[in-house]
Amino acid sequence: FENETYFLDMALAAAADQLAGSPFAPEVRDALGSLRDVKIVALCNVRSLPTEEIERLHAFLEAGGGLLYLLGDRCESYHYQRLRDAGLFPATLKSGKLPVPRLVTWWDASHPALAAFAERDRGGDLSRIVFRRAFDVEPSEGAKVLAKLDDGTPAILCAELGKGRIAVVTNPCDREWTDWPAERIFLPVVHELSDWLVHRDGEEKPVQ
C-alpha cells in the first residue's frame, strides 16, 4: 500500500463498466523500457531521467503519446528544469512544498479532461480531494491549469507537445501526502485524465 504506483495501478486496472472490463492495461516498471504499443507513460514520483530517456519520451509525445506526472518527495527542481527545457514538463517546479492541508476548490469542467465533473451533486464533486502536501508549480506559457487548491496553487495542469498530451498532478497520489486514493472520486478522475491523454475515441482494445 506504500508503493508509489499502487493506487494508480489499481485504479487503471479497475473496470468502470464491469461488463466491458477496464479500458486500460497498466504495467508497473522500474525503468522506461520499450514504448512499443504503449500509449501513456505515468511518472510516479520519479526523481530524474537520463538524457536518452528524455529524448525517447519527447519522440513518444510528438507521435501522439500521453505523459502523466505524479509529483512526490523525490522530485527536485533541478532535474525537472531539464524536463521543462526539453518541453516535457509544462511548469517550473518551485523549491519547497506546501505543508498545510488544502482542498481542491476549483476545476475547469469545460475542459474535456474534467468534463465528467461538471455537476457536483451527481458524482462530480472534486472538493472531496484534500492534499496534505503538494508541490508549488508555476505553469509554463501554453500550459493550462485544470484544478486549483483553495490558495490558488495548481493541483492539476496540462499541456500539449506535438500530437501528444501532458498532465501534471502536484501530489504523488499515495497515502503519504493525501487520502485521495481512498475516495471514490479517485478512479473516475484517473480514468478521465487518461482518456484525455490518449485521445480515446471508443476503441475496444485496452490502452497500455
Side-chain angles (χ1 to χ4, degrees):
F1 295 104
E2 296 178 353
N3 191 295
E4 303 286 359
T5 61
Y6 177 79
F7 290 100
L8 180 65
D9 185 30
M10 292 296 101
L12 288 173
D17 180 342
Q18 294 196 5
L19 293 178
S22 174
F24 304 99
E27 177 188 349
V28 178
R29 300 179 179 177
D30 293 327
L32 193 59
S34 171
L35 295 179
R36 182 177 180 180
D37 297 327
V38 171
K39 294 190 175 181
I40 304 174
V41 171
L43 300 179
C44 303
N45 194 9
V46 171
R47 179 174 180 266
S48 63
L49 291 174
T51 300
E52 180 188 31
E53 292 192 346
I54 290 176
E55 293 172 351
R56 289 176 58 214
L57 272 181
H58 191 280
F60 172 74
L61 277 160
E62 287 279 3
L67 179 59
L68 172 64
Y69 291 91
L70 303 176
L71 303 180
D73 56 3
R74 294 191 184 97
C75 301
E76 298 178 4
S77 57
Y78 168 76
H79 295 291
Y80 278 71
Q81 180 68 31
R82 291 179 61 232
L83 293 170
R84 195 197 77 163
D85 292 345
L88 294 178
F89 188 71
T92 297
L93 195 63
K94 298 182 179 180
S95 58
K97 305 168 187 66
L98 302 174
V100 180
R102 298 287 183 185
L103 293 169
V104 171
T105 54
W106 177 89
W107 58 95
D108 184 1
S110 68
H111 192 281
L114 296 182
F117 309 101
E119 299 183 52
R120 295 193 181 210
D121 59 345
R122 294 189 177 184
D125 190 1
L126 301 190
S127 66
R128 294 181 60 86
I129 300 171
V130 180
F131 286 0
R132 288 194 296 273
R133 295 170 68 191
F135 269 95
D136 192 4
V137 298
E138 181 179 339
S140 302
E141 184 177 354
K144 183 175 181 59
V145 177
L146 295 181
K148 296 179 183 179
L149 302 177
D150 56 13
D151 65 347
T153 302
I156 305 173
L157 54 93
C158 69
E160 299 189 14
L161 176 64
K163 297 179 181 179
R165 293 171 172 175
I166 305 169
V168 179
V169 180
T170 61
N171 180 288
C173 297
D174 61 25
R175 296 297 293 274
E176 184 177 357
W177 284 25
T178 180
D179 290 323
W180 178 26
E183 297 281 352
R184 288 186 177 182
I185 199 74
F186 183 70
L187 186 150
V189 170
V190 167
H191 278 227
E192 292 296 322
L193 273 178
S194 299
D195 279 344
W196 177 77
L197 285 170
V198 79
H199 306 257
R200 193 167 183 85
D201 57 3
E203 62 184 282
E204 295 183 3
K205 184 179 179 180
V207 172
Q208 293 187 343

